[in-house]
Amino acid sequence: MRAAAARYGTAGSLVLTALVAAPAGSASGAPPSPETHGTAVAAQHAEAAGIHWGACAKAEGLPPSIRCGTVSVPLDYAHPRGKQIKLTVSRTRSTKKAGGKAVARQGSLVFNPGGPGASGTYFPLVGALPEWKRIAAAYDLVGYAPRGVGRSAPLSCQDPKGYLKAPTQAPVHPDDAYKQKRIARAKAYARGCASRNPGLRHYSTLNNARDLDVVRAALGEKKLTFLGASYGTYFGAVYATLFPSHVRRMVFDSAVNPDPAQIWYGNNLEQSFAFERRWADFRAWVAKHDKTYHLGKTPEQVLRSYDKVSAELARKPAGGSVGPGQLQSAYLQAGYYDDYWPMRAAALSAYLKGNPKPLIEQAAPEPRGAAEAENSNAVYTAVECNDAAWPTDFATWDRDNTRLARVAPFETWDNAWMNLPCAYWSAPRQHPVDVGTPEGALPPTLILAAERDAATPYAGAQELNRRLAGSVLVTEREAGTHGIGGGPNRCVNEHLDAYLLEGRLPARRAACAPRAEPRPTSGVRTAGLPRER
């Protein structure tokens, strides 16, 4: 997730949006809303229909061991028998063996990687990794593409051929002329989203949560076991608020702040501030390994090396396609994942020594990925713009981001431009769900968070912990990688396994020592993790 959302309200509250009545059986006693009734109708139909599993479409890029199917959901839950859209679902069956011993199957573990706009259809592949073997033995691993993503009724807001246009600039203190260009671009993008997608208003977090309940029913599960990362934690928390009695176990990995006052404008500002600290972490690591990279012995000297490269790219883009905008985008990935640090440092070092090839390989847009990238951004924009009110006067954006850029220049304006179409959005805005559950309404849940995560700052995990009664927070101290479950930290994985396999949680908040820092290497590896939005 590139942006996040929400601020503290009343813990344990089940007050929902003005557009959504409380679910049937809630403490409010209010009658169910049309959407609540529609979700029940759709889930009943999905349970009866099930999922017909078969070979995955070639476009999914999955091996034959993974099977795929579709689940029909209403475009509009207020009209459950109206237009239907199909969500692509993937699965591997539980292996039922771990360490040579038989293991009882515990049902389906459904995963969402975040975004908004990311597909989780790859998730069953993790069962082959050592860190996931025990979980894969007990659970069917289930991924899916949320509405709008991939082959699940895809959204598009512009011709993909123009989406990855390069090279681009990325001024950290833009002048008025540049701002006016970005305003015009944001308005055009918002118009494109509206004109190309007649059902645009139905792509939202609320409907993602409702879709998840229909997927649960289609899988034949009476109660949901769910692992959500990044944005997946937010609509997972909305699901827990709307359907607490449908939850078996839930893991929230790298939690979005669910406070309605932060959805989504406030969390974007907080995220930009957090990325400045994470950018400093990367530069401190590079400085510590100056004998390898020769970019500077202090974080400030490393920054001067980066700025020098950016200035040169502004005059002469590398390979004709890598300008300051592509540079910033590539090095933002280092703020998400430590794994990128060695290759990014090596590429910067090579460029300053006269070899631009590694930087081009890591930062240049990939034309073959243009359609997927444009689709992902369209879903991201639609969900975040639909979810909540945004400032509609650019003067507010200008004031807030100008102030923030003085202390956090690295990501601030790039983040603002990505979200600016929401200022000119024509679809009706919703009121964010007031996430929260009273004591005893929801089974115990697990929250995982890295203390220095920039994409979803740590305060969001603390807020979610306060709002979900019975939840327990496990923290990876002094670490900043985004998404920590099933990674290299054995302590984190032990908590994840204990919860998913035994339902066992620490008695209170727990902490894990940080993972080992990346090892410096002068070689350049260009393959890496996918970029998180």
Side-chain angles (χ1 to χ4, degrees):
M1 168 191 118
R2 184 77 173 268
R7 205 183 305 180
Y8 186 69
T10 304
S13 170
L14 278 175
V15 178
L16 303 184
T17 75
L19 300 180
V20 182
S26 72
S28 73
S33 69
E35 291 84 359
T36 300
H37 173 72
T39 306
V41 170
Q44 187 177 32
H45 175 78
E47 183 178 6
I51 301 174
H52 299 287
W53 300 102
C56 298
K58 186 177 180 180
E60 297 297 336
L62 299 171
S65 59
I66 297 178
R67 310 302 282 173
C68 290
T70 60
V71 175
S72 293
V73 299
L75 177 65
D76 180 358
Y77 276 95
H79 302 283
R81 294 180 176 86
K83 182 177 179 180
Q84 304 290 302
I85 58 178
K86 292 183 181 295
L87 309 183
T88 300
V89 185
S90 61
R91 182 184 73 174
T92 53
R93 300 304 297 266
S94 60
T95 63
K96 300 183 181 178
K97 281 191 176 183
K101 296 181 180 180
V103 174
R105 179 182 177 275
Q106 295 196 39
S108 299
L109 172 61
V110 182
F111 173 73
N112 179 272
S119 173
T121 55
Y122 69 87
F123 177 63
L125 291 171
V126 305
L129 302 176
E131 295 86 355
W132 291 90
K133 287 284 189 181
R134 295 182 66 205
I135 293 172
Y139 288 95
D140 298 347
L141 302 182
V142 177
Y144 73 105
R147 63 170 60 203
V149 178
R151 295 169 58 245
S152 297
L155 294 183
S156 175
C157 293
Q158 70 175 84
D159 185 342
K161 293 179 181 178
Y163 179 69
L164 295 180
K165 183 180 179 181
T168 57
Q169 300 299 313
V172 294
H173 302 294
D175 59 22
D176 287 341
Y178 186 82
K179 290 173 184 176
Q180 291 304 314
K181 289 180 182 178
R182 297 307 301 247
I183 290 171
R185 181 172 162 183
K187 288 179 177 179
Y189 191 80
R191 288 194 302 269
C193 290
S195 63
R196 294 164 72 102
N197 306 286
L200 186 63
R201 67 187 182 93
H202 298 297
Y203 291 79
S204 66
T205 290
L206 275 165
N207 280 340
N208 282 336
R210 293 166 182 142
D211 289 347
L212 183 58
D213 201 51
V214 179
V215 171
R216 170 201 61 77
L219 290 167
E221 302 291 351
K222 296 298 181 185
K223 292 182 181 290
L224 175 70
T225 303
F226 177 73
L227 169 57
S230 194
Y231 168 73
T233 68
Y234 178 54
F235 85 78
V238 170
Y239 180 95
T241 302
L242 296 174
F243 310 104
S245 65
H246 295 184
V247 173
R248 178 178 178 265
R249 292 173 190 162
M250 296 193 93
V251 180
F252 305 93
D253 187 353
S254 303
V256 169
N257 187 333
D259 180 349
Q262 290 292 102
I263 304 291
W264 284 102
Y265 182 75
N267 267 1
N268 274 290
L269 295 173
E270 291 181 0
Q271 186 189 58
S272 294
F273 183 79
F275 265 113
E276 195 67 27
R277 181 175 73 169
R278 195 70 181 129
W279 173 232
D281 289 346
F282 167 68
R283 291 185 286 110
W285 179 86
V286 175
K288 186 164 68 173
H289 299 291
D290 185 57
K291 289 183 179 180
T292 301
Y293 300 114
H294 308 291
L295 292 170
K297 296 181 179 180
T298 67
E300 293 74 23
Q301 290 175 349
V302 174
L303 179 60
R304 285 197 288 273
S305 293
Y306 176 87
D307 288 343
K308 180 180 179 180
V309 172
S310 183
E312 290 184 8
L313 294 175
R315 293 190 296 270
K316 184 180 179 181
S321 63
V322 178
Q326 288 65 48
L327 181 76
Q328 196 277 341
S329 182
Y331 283 79
L332 179 66
Q333 293 174 332
Y336 281 98
Y337 305 111
D338 294 4
D339 288 353
Y340 280 109
W341 290 7
M343 70 175 83
R344 292 295 187 263
L348 205 65
S349 179
Y351 180 90
L352 289 172
K353 292 175 182 177
N355 178 14
K357 184 177 178 181
L359 186 62
I360 295 169
E361 290 177 341
Q362 293 183 36
E366 175 49 68
R368 290 176 297 180
E372 181 180 353
E374 193 279 326
N375 167 241
S376 181
N377 192 74
V379 177
Y380 169 91
T381 306
V383 171
E384 295 216 352
C385 295
N386 284 336
D387 270 2
W390 290 74
T392 56
D393 185 351
F394 180 73
T396 300
W397 296 69
D398 196 14
R399 178 199 66 207
D400 293 342
N401 287 280
T402 297
R403 290 174 179 172
L404 184 57
R406 294 184 187 125
V407 294
F410 177 66
E411 164 67 350
T412 293
W413 278 108
D414 184 65
N415 205 0
W417 303 136
M418 183 173 184
N419 293 284
L420 188 58
C422 294
Y424 312 107
W425 203 244
S426 60
R429 313 304 180 92
Q430 299 176 354
H431 298 281
V433 170
D434 189 10
V435 165
T437 56
E439 194 73 40
L442 183 71
T445 57
L446 173 64
I447 303 170
L448 305 175
E451 202 168 33
R452 297 178 73 83
D453 187 349
T456 52
Y458 184 65
Q462 295 173 309
E463 177 70 11
L464 183 61
N465 186 208
R466 285 192 289 266
R467 286 172 170 265
L468 297 183
S471 64
V472 173
L473 172 59
V474 173
T475 302
E476 186 178 16
R477 296 293 187 195
E478 294 301 318
T481 286
H482 184 58
I484 62 176
N489 193 314
R490 184 173 178 177
C491 169
V492 171
N493 293 339
E494 286 174 350
H495 285 294
L496 180 64
D497 284 0
Y499 176 65
L500 286 177
L501 298 176
E502 305 169 33
R504 180 165 49 88
L505 289 168
R508 55 183 63 86
R509 290 186 182 186
C512 293
R515 68 191 63 200
E517 283 190 343
R519 298 177 63 181
T521 173
S522 57
V524 180
R525 178 171 63 92
T526 59
L529 295 168
R531 177 180 179 179
E532 169 72 23
R533 299 206 61 75

